Amino acid sequence: MYNILTERLIRMDKSDGSRVEASLPAVYAALMADEVEAFPALRPHQRHAWHAFLVQLGAMAMHKAGMTDPPADPDIWTDLIRALTADFLDDEPWQLVVNDITRPAFMQPPASSEDKLADYKSNIETPDELDMLVTSKNHDVKSSVAVASGYDDLILALISLQTSEGFSGAGNYGISRMNGGLGSRPAFSVTPSTRTGKHVRRDIVVLLERRDDLLDNSPMGEEGTDLLWTLPWDGAKVEPLLLDDLAPLYIEVCRRVRLCVGEDGRLHAIRATSKAARIEAKALNGITGDPWTPIDEGSGKSLTLAAGGFTYKRTVDYLVKWKRPILCKPTNPELRSSDTMHLVARGMVRGQGKTEGYYERTIPIRKKLGSAMMRQGPETDDLGRIANDRIEDVGKIQRILSHAIQVFLARGETEKVSPEHRNLARLWLNRLDETVDARFFEHLQEEFEVDGRDERLRIRNNWLMNDNEDGVVNRAREVLADAIDSLPCPEIKRYKARVRAEGLFEGRIRGNKGLPSLFTEKGDDDDH
């Protein structure tokens, strides 16, 4: 029932302005033709789960068929996908509802016997309640509100849950492709276009081209199970699969879930717990060959995105210090192309029993940065040095700005600065950091692209002191002025506090522990 290979269950908005319902093969065909503008049911936190599912399934289906060029014919996609589950003549792995619990359904593993139906004690009425933690615990989005939902809401919720969820209490284990139960499955890839279809097509083609690299960087072998929901699972301790049993691009399921048709004709889900994770991968710390996930080779762990997401400081580290995944490395034809490449980073921050936000960052990539991203080496080291020097300069400005704001809060009395003043000043430093963050990588690449110490120094100083645009020093002055105008201070003390705060900022920024070389070039008659 509700076969996603043959029935139109997925809504998509097309480039001609129409909204249509399509089967999964028709979705692939539209994506390959770059006709898709959006999937109306897709929530932001589901974007990578959906993207990864489409890419993994497409790449493994094409590999099995020996194809290298993604087709644009939905009938061909039907045959390719169906070939992955040839043992199931009724397309059970692609049906949303299969009443026989000993047979698989889409993203729903079967049980060994009908008696196991008694394990499924939890009833789930809506897709958002079924979805991963971000919507299931009333933190970021209230749960159980998607009553009037479509079939694609359920499809996307199932994919999100089964391929992205972590540990969420006894009997509810997470996926193998993350570092620990409270980790996350972040994604880094480069793409010639941020359009959904071109991004999906690019990642499929690159995975096929780099299959040998994929095998070299994963603990799996050439053969193994592709689709884990086709295997029986009763949730017993003796059942966990080893990675040796799996194919390199395996699509996993981490929960025992089944969809059913209720008496009112609506679909709902039932859920059972398990006594162990589906895959025995705890010792691997998330290093499973996931083609989107960076690895810290020093600690031997995959990336878990921290609170705050992809800040410019962290993203520099991910690009320079971490081993970049296969799909985060441009190909030679991409580097030769005149198209602008983009780095796309996505990830959820998960905590103990809660979520701390979903984050995305897209960075246009110039030629030299793209070349540096292909491999670790001198270019990467050079990028790291430039980036860290810039981060250090921003840090100096922030410390001086913080001191100036604290002195204002202390009514101009330096010796009366308190911890409370430091905490209040931190809020204003965040404003400056947001300004720097917005165009950090654009400015960083301007310096990285050129050769010669003098030219790089000129570009760096312009970034710091471009008063007419977004020079960091001038932005810090603006933040200081806003803080002085907004923060409380008795009127009788305000003039003194302002003069001392501004004087401290200008004095320290020109001092030996500030950025004196900027002002040597500008001259002593600077207006500020």
Side-chain angles (χ1 to χ4, degrees), residues 344-359:
V344 178
R346 295 169 173 159
M348 178 78 69
V349 178
R350 302 178 68 253
Q352 183 74 43
K354 63 179 181 178
T355 61
E356 297 179 14
Y358 170 77
Y359 296 89

mmCIF file of all heavy atoms in Angstrom, residues 344-359:
data_model
loop_
_atom_site.group_PDB
_atom_site.id
_atom_site.type_symbol
_atom_site.label_atom_id
_atom_site.label_comp_id
_atom_site.label_asym_id
_atom_site.label_seq_id
_atom_site.Cartn_x
_atom_site.Cartn_y
_atom_site.Cartn_z
ATOM 1 N N VAL A 344 28.769 23.827 1.210
ATOM 2 C CA VAL A 344 27.502 23.765 1.933
ATOM 3 C C VAL A 344 27.723 22.940 3.196
ATOM 4 O O VAL A 344 28.139 21.778 3.123
ATOM 5 C CB VAL A 344 26.388 23.135 1.078
ATOM 6 C CG1 VAL A 344 25.088 23.042 1.872
ATOM 7 C CG2 VAL A 344 26.168 23.951 -0.195
ATOM 8 N N ALA A 345 27.463 23.551 4.346
ATOM 9 C CA ALA A 345 27.605 22.867 5.636
ATOM 10 C C ALA A 345 26.259 22.861 6.341
ATOM 11 O O ALA A 345 25.586 23.893 6.418
ATOM 12 C CB ALA A 345 28.652 23.562 6.497
ATOM 13 N N ARG A 346 25.866 21.704 6.863
ATOM 14 C CA ARG A 346 24.598 21.563 7.557
ATOM 15 C C ARG A 346 24.790 20.706 8.798
ATOM 16 O O ARG A 346 25.622 19.789 8.794
ATOM 17 C CB ARG A 346 23.543 20.898 6.657
ATOM 18 C CG ARG A 346 23.142 21.713 5.439
ATOM 19 C CD ARG A 346 22.312 20.882 4.475
ATOM 20 N NE ARG A 346 21.790 21.690 3.374
ATOM 21 C CZ ARG A 346 21.397 21.209 2.213
ATOM 22 N NH1 ARG A 346 21.458 19.912 1.974
ATOM 23 N NH2 ARG A 346 20.925 22.022 1.271
ATOM 24 N N GLY A 347 24.024 20.987 9.823
ATOM 25 C CA GLY A 347 24.136 20.146 11.012
ATOM 26 C C GLY A 347 23.181 20.543 12.113
ATOM 27 O O GLY A 347 22.776 21.702 12.229
ATOM 28 N N MET A 348 22.834 19.562 12.920
ATOM 29 C CA MET A 348 21.998 19.746 14.096
ATOM 30 C C MET A 348 22.880 19.679 15.336
ATOM 31 O O MET A 348 23.816 18.879 15.402
ATOM 32 C CB MET A 348 20.947 18.629 14.167
ATOM 33 C CG MET A 348 20.052 18.679 15.379
ATOM 34 S SD MET A 348 18.780 19.910 15.197
ATOM 35 C CE MET A 348 17.801 19.142 13.912
ATOM 36 N N VAL A 349 22.601 20.538 16.298
ATOM 37 C CA VAL A 349 23.292 20.467 17.588
ATOM 38 C C VAL A 349 22.348 19.785 18.567
ATOM 39 O O VAL A 349 21.237 20.259 18.800
ATOM 40 C CB VAL A 349 23.690 21.860 18.105
ATOM 41 C CG1 VAL A 349 24.353 21.745 19.471
ATOM 42 C CG2 VAL A 349 24.626 22.545 17.117
ATOM 43 N N ARG A 350 22.795 18.680 19.115
ATOM 44 C CA ARG A 350 21.969 17.911 20.033
ATOM 45 C C ARG A 350 22.595 17.915 21.420
ATOM 46 O O ARG A 350 23.804 17.830 21.567
ATOM 47 C CB ARG A 350 21.811 16.465 19.548
ATOM 48 C CG ARG A 350 21.209 16.343 18.159
ATOM 49 C CD ARG A 350 21.125 14.901 17.693
ATOM 50 N NE ARG A 350 20.143 14.169 18.486
ATOM 51 C CZ ARG A 350 20.437 13.276 19.407
ATOM 52 N NH1 ARG A 350 21.698 13.013 19.704
ATOM 53 N NH2 ARG A 350 19.502 12.639 20.064
ATOM 54 N N GLY A 351 21.748 17.999 22.452
ATOM 55 C CA GLY A 351 22.203 17.944 23.822
ATOM 56 C C GLY A 351 21.525 16.816 24.563
ATOM 57 O O GLY A 351 20.911 15.935 23.974
ATOM 58 N N GLN A 352 21.644 16.836 25.881
ATOM 59 C CA GLN A 352 21.025 15.808 26.711
ATOM 60 C C GLN A 352 19.519 16.028 26.755
ATOM 61 O O GLN A 352 19.031 16.911 27.441
ATOM 62 C CB GLN A 352 21.592 15.876 28.144
ATOM 63 C CG GLN A 352 21.074 14.794 29.080
ATOM 64 C CD GLN A 352 21.686 13.436 28.784
ATOM 65 O OE1 GLN A 352 22.883 13.318 28.554
ATOM 66 N NE2 GLN A 352 20.863 12.412 28.798
ATOM 67 N N GLY A 353 18.777 15.214 25.978
ATOM 68 C CA GLY A 353 17.322 15.301 25.993
ATOM 69 C C GLY A 353 16.760 16.557 25.360
ATOM 70 O O GLY A 353 15.611 16.911 25.598
ATOM 71 N N LYS A 354 17.546 17.255 24.552
ATOM 72 C CA LYS A 354 17.052 18.475 23.919
ATOM 73 C C LYS A 354 17.843 18.745 22.645
ATOM 74 O O LYS A 354 18.853 18.104 22.369
ATOM 75 C CB LYS A 354 17.182 19.671 24.865
ATOM 76 C CG LYS A 354 18.619 19.996 25.237
ATOM 77 C CD LYS A 354 18.684 21.207 26.157
ATOM 78 C CE LYS A 354 20.128 21.524 26.506
ATOM 79 N NZ LYS A 354 20.232 22.726 27.373
ATOM 80 N N THR A 355 17.372 19.698 21.866
ATOM 81 C CA THR A 355 18.138 20.153 20.718
ATOM 82 C C THR A 355 18.573 21.589 20.960
ATOM 83 O O THR A 355 17.932 22.327 21.696
ATOM 84 C CB THR A 355 17.298 20.089 19.432
ATOM 85 O OG1 THR A 355 16.169 20.944 19.588
ATOM 86 C CG2 THR A 355 16.830 18.676 19.160
ATOM 87 N N GLU A 356 19.684 21.960 20.353
ATOM 88 C CA GLU A 356 20.227 23.303 20.537
ATOM 89 C C GLU A 356 20.344 24.032 19.212
ATOM 90 O O GLU A 356 21.156 24.936 19.061
ATOM 91 C CB GLU A 356 21.579 23.225 21.253
ATOM 92 C CG GLU A 356 21.463 22.632 22.657
ATOM 93 C CD GLU A 356 22.800 22.533 23.373
ATOM 94 O OE1 GLU A 356 23.778 23.144 22.905
ATOM 95 O OE2 GLU A 356 22.867 21.832 24.387
ATOM 96 N N GLY A 357 19.521 23.625 18.248
ATOM 97 C CA GLY A 357 19.454 24.379 17.006
ATOM 98 C C GLY A 357 19.928 23.615 15.787
ATOM 99 O O GLY A 357 20.751 22.712 15.863
ATOM 100 N N TYR A 358 19.363 23.996 14.650
ATOM 101 C CA TYR A 358 19.799 23.488 13.358
ATOM 102 C C TYR A 358 20.543 24.616 12.646
ATOM 103 O O TYR A 358 20.120 25.778 12.674
ATOM 104 C CB TYR A 358 18.595 23.053 12.523
ATOM 105 C CG TYR A 358 18.962 22.752 11.086
ATOM 106 C CD1 TYR A 358 19.601 21.566 10.750
ATOM 107 C CD2 TYR A 358 18.683 23.670 10.077
ATOM 108 C CE1 TYR A 358 19.956 21.304 9.437
ATOM 109 C CE2 TYR A 358 19.026 23.409 8.759
ATOM 110 C CZ TYR A 358 19.670 22.230 8.447
ATOM 111 O OH TYR A 358 20.029 21.968 7.149
ATOM 112 N N TYR A 359 21.669 24.293 11.998
ATOM 113 C CA TYR A 359 22.522 25.315 11.395
ATOM 114 C C TYR A 359 22.881 24.949 9.958
ATOM 115 O O TYR A 359 23.079 23.780 9.622
ATOM 116 C CB TYR A 359 23.809 25.490 12.204
ATOM 117 C CG TYR A 359 23.579 25.990 13.605
ATOM 118 C CD1 TYR A 359 23.367 25.087 14.648
ATOM 119 C CD2 TYR A 359 23.539 27.352 13.879
ATOM 120 C CE1 TYR A 359 23.135 25.539 15.942
ATOM 121 C CE2 TYR A 359 23.313 27.813 15.167
ATOM 122 C CZ TYR A 359 23.108 26.903 16.196
ATOM 123 O OH TYR A 359 22.865 27.363 17.469
#
